Amino acid sequence: MAWRLATGRWSVCVSCWRHRSKVCCHPPRISQQKTPLLIPPSARVRALLARMTCLLVPAVACAAPAPAGHKTTGHGRPQPKIRVTRGVRSKVSAARAGMDGGTSAPPPEPAIAPDAVINLELGDPTMYEAFWREVGERAAVAIPGWSGMSYFSNAQSLCWFLDPEFEREVRRVHRLVGNAAVDDGYHLVVGTGATQLFQAAMYALSPAGAQRPVGVVSPAPYYSSYPPQTDLLLSGFYRWAGDANAFDGDGHIELVCSPNNPDGAIREAVLSSESGKAIHDLVYYWPQYTPITGAAAHDIMLFTMSKVTGHAGARLGWALVKDRDVAKKMVYFVDRSTIGVSKDSQLRAAKILAVVSDAYGPDEEDDTRLRLFDFARRRMEERWRALRAAVAATGAFSLPEETAGHCNFSRQTVAAYPAFAWLRCEKDGVEDCAEFLRGHGIVARGGEQFGGDARCVRVNMLDRDGVFDVLIDRLFSIT
Amino acid sequence: MAWRLATGRWSVCVSCWRHRSKVCCHPPRISQQKTPLLIPPSARVRALLARMTCLLVPAVACAAPAPAGHKTTGHGRPQPKIRVTRGVRSKVSAARAGMDGGTSAPPPEPAIAPDAVINLELGDPTMYEAFWREVGERAAVAIPGWSGMSYFSNAQSLCWFLDPEFEREVRRVHRLVGNAAVDDGYHLVVGTGATQLFQAAMYALSPAGAQRPVGVVSPAPYYSSYPPQTDLLLSGFYRWAGDANAFDGDGHIELVCSPNNPDGAIREAVLSSESGKAIHDLVYYWPQYTPITGAAAHDIMLFTMSKVTGHAGARLGWALVKDRDVAKKMVYFVDRSTIGVSKDSQLRAAKILAVVSDAYGPDEEDDTRLRLFDFARRRMEERWRALRAAVAATGAFSLPEETAGHCNFSRQTVAAYPAFAWLRCEKDGVEDCAEFLRGHGIVARGGEQFGGDARCVRVNMLDRDGVFDVLIDRLFSIT
């Protein structure tokens, strides 16, 4: 539903529009307009917002009463929200009300005060909470008191702290999705998040007995945590050396993040494999974010629960490693730095991943509510449409062009919907986009932290619905 | 029950004797003796073994049939073992049989083949499994699928990844035991085991802008993992500098482990606090291992679930930190190295610690089976008696003298029962005790790894009963 305000700006009722409702009961908000003018969108605006499903319906004044259970969702209102959408969302309230069959009811989504600052600086994946609430007790685990006393999970294994059931489910979900050549002799190393494994990989790849630390590089814009994580202890083995495109030293370790954090770009190594090594950070290479174009088969590939299923609190990642000696060195690093990885998280993750894979099995054909990748892709698509609409409407920002490709998993051509928005401020006089957004109650990570332009910011696209709605509302309010 | 073999050596039926049984149905094992001579122990042997309760009963030949449910426990027999002892142990089989009320039955204790090598090299605390089996469902947790999606546990807290409930239970158990001045303004920082926090503390204490790495020291024998953990990345901030007693540099970080790993000694810093800083590793300062003589109040104190409750697989430790800025730096380290700590482990540990503290509350007065410290102290006492008896009987080894003191927690004078035995080989011609023991199917960590004597080894005292029984059996067999 589109509204044109007296200021001449366009506003969209994000809630109705995300849910493709043809009836809107929400008055337009934003700015000081008490009585907005309601004018159908111009041809130019319609063209700009062509991807927005509900804008294809002519804008109408809203007089219809709200359907039962359809409450307003915009404009800094308190939570929880209950929506009319069928399927995944319609069951959320049941879970909240304690009817999810055995596990205690989750707390309601935190309320957001109208003047609250929203923090989208970290990549908190709380968007997934709604899905797991819907799944209910199928994804719950009970852990008895006597479980997990030993340091060992599999004393005979190369990675002796890797839970065999977790390993089985990791390999299974990769086979299901087809995003990694997990069966081609790859060793699996578990870590306390991909973060620990990234350090383990640098440790394992550093040349033995080198006179000075090997340079660690990544093409800008690169994940802002790479430099401080690399140089956390000023290691004698490796040292951050900046933008890969500007590197001309001997020997290197290149961090290849694809899809890239922060801008979602699909990447390959830019430096030669003859002069150095690569670590492929593929934590976003899942079908909700990007078309799965093939099974990646790099030397070291990093993944994490945080970005597949949203369980960031588990602090659980894994590496697929081609070379046995490299895998052994990574295991040694994890051993020495934390003596292994939480068994509780592994046990739980094994269950979570099993639920994910089971939902795509022959027995679950009709129950699409339980299909994680479908849920997440749908949600990402809605969010990116909302964001692009807001960006187009305000004219104050720009985003990277949308890309698309054939996805082997969904068997269709789909667009990429990155987990972060790499937002560039196009307003004259604004040199620091992060500071500019802070003035509008939005905390995002400034572009210079990614080795990029301060006119850019990285915005988390995976927060809860309430937070995302506020983001869109506030972006619309920026002229 | 003591048996004298035809060789002239004494043998003890460890199982009956540990359980103070006055009836023994176990034939003596060891060596080639098929028909041992049964002779009462001499005065010398009685004196040597004076601490062994059941040796005070005159040795008798065993003819009585085994009581119902009393199966042999010695000599490489398969598991599980079911014993006649009342109390904690008598309920273990119930838990194993799936009668522990809601959580699935635990797997049986792993069988140990007669010729199996037993690995007591790591400090695996699987001894505690029997206790938690007994506790049953009270200690179980159910974690719903929607739990733990966010990186944050308490965004407003200094340690934003610390679960508030876990913090509450940590402080509560310290108040109960009285081993740390937890309420005197201490900040709590959670880590992936004490191992990560030890590194976080070194990072936080390293002088800013120093020309060269600060020296990290500990008096020998020191925990063997200190050197490789310290130098894992050849940090520019700190570097292992060996035995604190031999150190004469400017500035230092001293690691004070008390009770000490490997030898159980009670320690204080040996270097001046004017020239450096100390990190107190108090992971064994719990009443099952040592008398609690007061509430420790050092600048940085490290603890871990592994050594309190036995949940080593949780990889969960905590630091009590006096200085806010130091705590903040430690939080930064954990953030950068693993972006926090498993929420699943924290959630579970909160429950486990609550069960521990609840058992010492007014409502649990009669149910001593649920008292962790009582269980563990009893078990440690039994094990140390068995070990000292074996050592005394063989004459091939020696152990540090037993120490005792008034324990504020148990309100009585008690002996120290360290989590490791620091065993010295006294046999002529044996220079490498670890190698010598390997020849007898026992893997222990060699003394030189602790900056000590290769004639010493560190032996884990916290493994499962079956493994410990085999250890004692094999020690007895060494002449």
Side-chain angles (χ1 to χ4, degrees):
Chain A
M1 197 60 51
W3 304 78
R4 191 170 197 180
L5 305 184
T7 58
R9 270 190 323 107
W10 279 90
S11 169
V12 174
C13 173
V14 176
S15 175
C16 295
W17 157 57
R18 165 140 26 87
H19 298 290
R20 303 179 187 185
S21 168
K22 295 191 180 179
V23 181
C24 174
C25 58
H26 305 152
R29 40 94 202 95
I30 309 169
S31 75
Q32 308 309 316
Q33 287 306 126
K34 300 288 182 196
T35 317
L37 297 175
L38 303 176
I39 310 170
S42 69
R44 190 184 67 83
V45 171
R46 273 205 300 268
L48 272 173
L49 308 186
R51 290 199 191 90
M52 296 169 57
T53 308
C54 77
L55 278 184
L56 301 179
V57 179
V60 291
C62 177
H70 189 166
K71 297 182 181 171
T72 61
T73 60
H75 332 318
R77 68 274 159 218
Q79 308 297 330
K81 299 168 298 184
I82 301 171
R83 294 174 177 170
V84 291
T85 317
R86 292 188 183 279
V88 171
R89 307 297 298 278
S90 63
K91 292 290 183 68
V92 172
S93 56
R96 283 193 184 133
M99 295 182 283
D100 54 345
T103 55
S104 60
E109 205 172 290
I112 303 166
D115 58 349
V117 172
I118 55 168
N119 191 340
L120 296 165
E121 207 251 344
L122 208 65
D124 223 19
T126 41
M127 176 188 87
Y128 290 90
E129 215 170 64
F131 175 78
W132 293 108
R133 281 172 167 159
E134 172 66 17
V135 170
E137 70 174 345
R138 289 186 195 218
V141 293
I143 310 181
W146 49 261
S147 169
M149 316 299 292
S150 174
Y151 291 96
F152 295 95
S153 288
N154 186 356
Q156 312 311 317
S157 170
L158 181 146
C159 187
W160 52 266
F161 45 81
L162 169 60
D163 181 82
E165 189 66 15
F166 174 66
E167 177 175 13
R168 204 174 70 87
E169 293 300 340
V170 164
R171 291 186 186 271
R172 184 177 167 218
V173 78
H174 278 304
R175 279 184 215 113
L176 170 72
V177 171
N179 60 344
V182 75
D183 291 319
D184 295 354
Y186 276 93
H187 305 280
L188 205 155
V189 181
V190 66
T192 309
T195 300
Q196 186 181 38
L197 291 166
F198 149 66
Q199 294 160 80
M202 289 192 297
Y203 171 81
L205 294 183
S206 297
Q211 291 293 308
R212 56 197 176 89
V214 65
V216 177
V217 295
S218 192
Y222 42 71
Y223 176 28
S224 55
S225 291
Y226 286 159
Q229 284 170 356
T230 303
D231 285 349
L232 178 61
L233 289 177
L234 297 181
S235 171
F237 295 124
Y238 51 77
R239 200 66 61 92
W240 179 251
D243 187 347
N245 288 314
F247 182 75
D248 64 354
D250 291 334
H252 67 269
I253 295 173
E254 182 179 349
L255 307 173
V256 186
C257 188
S258 183
N260 189 43
N261 175 355
D263 64 358
I266 299 300
R267 288 185 159 186
E268 293 187 357
V270 300
L271 298 181
S272 165
S273 61
E274 290 175 11
S275 60
K277 308 277 188 182
I279 299 168
H280 280 76
D281 179 347
L282 304 186
V283 301
Y284 301 103
Y285 190 43
W286 293 98
Q288 60 267 52
Y289 307 121
T290 190
I292 301 300
T293 54
H298 307 290
D299 289 348
I300 300 180
M301 300 184 282
L302 306 184
F303 295 91
T304 175
M305 288 295 285
S306 311
K307 309 305 179 187
V308 192
T309 66
H311 290 83
R315 310 310 313 120
L316 198 62
W318 62 92
L320 298 173
V321 185
K322 205 173 261 179
D323 185 83
R324 183 179 172 84
D325 288 337
V326 171
K328 279 174 75 173
K329 285 183 189 164
M330 290 178 69
V331 167
Y332 179 81
F333 179 91
V334 176
D335 177 6
R336 283 294 176 211
S337 63
T338 55
I339 320 184
V341 176
S342 166
K343 280 186 173 181
D344 306 313
S345 285
Q346 290 187 71
L347 193 153
R348 207 177 151 223
K351 177 69 175 180
I352 294 285
L353 290 177
V355 169
V356 171
S357 294
D358 286 350
Y360 290 91
D363 299 337
E364 303 284 345
E365 274 180 357
D366 297 325
D367 200 352
T368 55
R369 291 174 312 149
L370 301 181
R371 293 187 163 179
L372 173 82
F373 300 119
D374 294 24
F375 159 87
R377 179 147 200 91
R378 208 162 46 235
R379 196 60 60 97
M380 294 305 289
E381 184 179 1
E382 292 163 357
R383 289 184 173 200
W384 271 96
R385 283 187 173 168
L387 181 70
R388 288 191 185 276
V391 163
T394 70
F397 303 99
S398 66
L399 286 166
E401 282 293 305
E402 186 175 281
T403 61
H406 181 79
C407 177
N408 296 344
F409 177 69
S410 61
R411 296 178 190 172
Q412 57 187 334
T413 297
V414 295
Y417 299 121
F420 294 105
W422 185 236
L423 196 68
R424 182 181 162 83
C425 189
E426 301 291 353
K427 281 179 75 73
D428 287 342
V430 176
E431 297 300 325
D432 185 332
C433 187
E435 186 185 1
F436 176 70
L437 283 178
R438 264 198 302 277
H440 291 81
I442 299 166
V443 178
R445 195 171 287 182
E448 76 285 1
Q449 293 189 51
F450 302 85
D453 186 351
R455 290 182 71 98
C456 293
V457 290
R458 190 194 74 171
V459 180
N460 178 24
M461 292 290 284
L462 303 182
D463 210 307
R464 293 187 181 92
D465 287 342
V467 176
F468 185 77
D469 288 352
V470 172
L471 167 71
I472 297 298
D473 285 355
R474 291 188 184 168
L475 288 180
F476 266 116
S477 78
I478 296 171
T479 55
Chain B
M1 198 60 53
W3 305 78
R4 191 170 197 180
L5 306 183
T7 58
R9 267 191 323 108
W10 279 90
S11 170
V12 174
C13 172
V14 177
S15 175
C16 294
W17 156 59
R18 164 139 28 86
H19 298 290
R20 303 179 188 185
S21 169
K22 295 191 179 181
V23 181
C24 175
C25 58
H26 306 151
R29 42 90 199 97
I30 308 169
S31 77
Q32 309 307 316
Q33 288 305 127
K34 299 289 184 196
T35 318
L37 297 176
L38 302 176
I39 310 170
S42 69
R44 190 183 68 85
V45 171
R46 273 206 299 269
L48 272 173
L49 309 185
R51 289 200 192 91
M52 296 169 57
T53 310
C54 79
L55 278 184
L56 301 178
V57 179
V60 293
C62 176
H70 188 167
K71 296 183 181 171
T72 61
T73 61
H75 333 319
R77 68 277 159 216
Q79 306 298 331
K81 300 170 298 185
I82 300 172
R83 293 176 178 169
V84 291
T85 317
R86 291 187 184 280
V88 170
R89 308 296 298 279
S90 62
K91 292 291 181 69
V92 172
S93 57
R96 283 189 182 137
M99 295 182 284
D100 53 344
T103 55
S104 60
E109 206 171 288
I112 304 166
D115 58 348
V117 172
I118 55 168
N119 191 339
L120 297 165
E121 207 250 343
L122 208 65
D124 223 17
T126 42
M127 176 188 88
Y128 289 91
E129 215 169 65
F131 175 78
W132 293 108
R133 282 172 166 159
E134 172 66 16
V135 170
E137 70 172 345
R138 289 187 196 219
V141 293
I143 309 180
W146 48 261
S147 168
M149 316 299 291
S150 175
Y151 292 95
F152 295 95
S153 287
N154 186 356
Q156 311 312 316
S157 170
L158 182 145
C159 187
W160 52 266
F161 46 80
L162 168 61
D163 180 82
E165 189 67 15
F166 174 65
E167 176 175 13
R168 203 175 71 87
E169 293 300 340
V170 164
R171 292 185 186 270
R172 183 177 168 216
V173 78
H174 278 304
R175 279 183 216 114
L176 169 73
V177 171
N179 60 344
V182 74
D183 291 319
D184 295 354
Y186 276 93
H187 304 280
L188 205 154
V189 181
V190 66
T192 309
T195 299
Q196 186 180 38
L197 291 166
F198 149 67
Q199 293 160 81
M202 289 192 297
Y203 171 81
L205 294 182
S206 297
Q211 291 293 307
R212 56 198 177 88
V214 66
V216 178
V217 295
S218 191
Y222 42 71
Y223 176 28
S224 56
S225 290
Y226 286 159
Q229 283 170 356
T230 303
D231 286 349
L232 178 61
L233 288 178
L234 298 181
S235 172
F237 294 125
Y238 51 78
R239 202 64 62 90
W240 179 250
D243 188 347
N245 288 313
F247 182 74
D248 64 354
D250 291 333
H252 67 269
I253 294 173
E254 182 180 349
L255 308 173
V256 185
C257 188
S258 182
N260 190 44
N261 174 356
D263 63 358
I266 300 300
R267 287 185 160 186
E268 294 186 356
V270 300
L271 297 180
S272 165
S273 62
E274 290 175 11
S275 59
K277 307 278 188 183
I279 299 168
H280 280 76
D281 179 347
L282 304 187
V283 302
Y284 301 103
Y285 190 43
W286 294 98
Q288 59 267 54
Y289 306 121
T290 190
I292 301 300
T293 54
H298 308 290
D299 288 349
I300 301 180
M301 301 184 282
L302 306 183
F303 295 91
T304 175
M305 288 295 285
S306 311
K307 308 307 178 186
V308 192
T309 66
H311 290 83
R315 310 310 313 120
L316 198 61
W318 62 92
L320 298 173
V321 186
K322 204 173 262 180
D323 185 85
R324 184 178 172 84
D325 288 338
V326 171
K328 280 174 75 172
K329 285 182 188 164
M330 292 177 68
V331 166
Y332 179 82
F333 179 91
V334 176
D335 176 6
R336 283 294 176 212
S337 63
T338 55
I339 319 185
V341 176
S342 166
K343 280 187 174 182
D344 306 314
S345 286
Q346 291 187 71
L347 193 153
R348 208 178 149 222
K351 176 71 175 179
I352 294 286
L353 290 177
V355 169
V356 171
S357 294
D358 286 350
Y360 289 91
D363 298 337
E364 303 284 345
E365 273 180 358
D366 297 324
D367 200 352
T368 54
R369 291 174 311 149
L370 300 181
R371 294 187 162 178
L372 173 82
F373 300 119
D374 294 24
F375 160 87
R377 178 147 202 91
R378 207 162 47 236
R379 197 58 60 96
M380 294 306 289
E381 184 179 1
E382 292 163 358
R383 288 184 173 201
W384 271 95
R385 282 187 175 168
L387 180 69
R388 289 192 185 276
V391 163
T394 70
F397 302 99
S398 66
L399 286 166
E401 282 293 306
E402 186 175 283
T403 60
H406 181 80
C407 177
N408 296 344
F409 176 69
S410 62
R411 296 179 190 172
Q412 57 187 334
T413 297
V414 295
Y417 298 121
F420 294 105
W422 185 235
L423 195 68
R424 182 181 162 84
C425 189
E426 302 291 354
K427 281 179 74 74
D428 288 342
V430 175
E431 297 300 325
D432 185 331
C433 187
E435 187 185 1
F436 176 70
L437 284 178
R438 265 198 301 277
H440 290 81
I442 300 166
V443 178
R445 195 170 288 181
E448 76 286 1
Q449 293 190 51
F450 302 85
D453 186 352
R455 290 182 71 99
C456 294
V457 290
R458 190 194 74 170
V459 181
N460 179 23
M461 292 290 285
L462 303 183
D463 211 305
R464 294 186 181 90
D465 287 342
V467 175
F468 185 77
D469 288 352
V470 173
L471 167 71
I472 296 298
D473 286 355
R474 291 188 184 168
L475 288 180
F476 266 115
S477 76
I478 296 169
T479 54

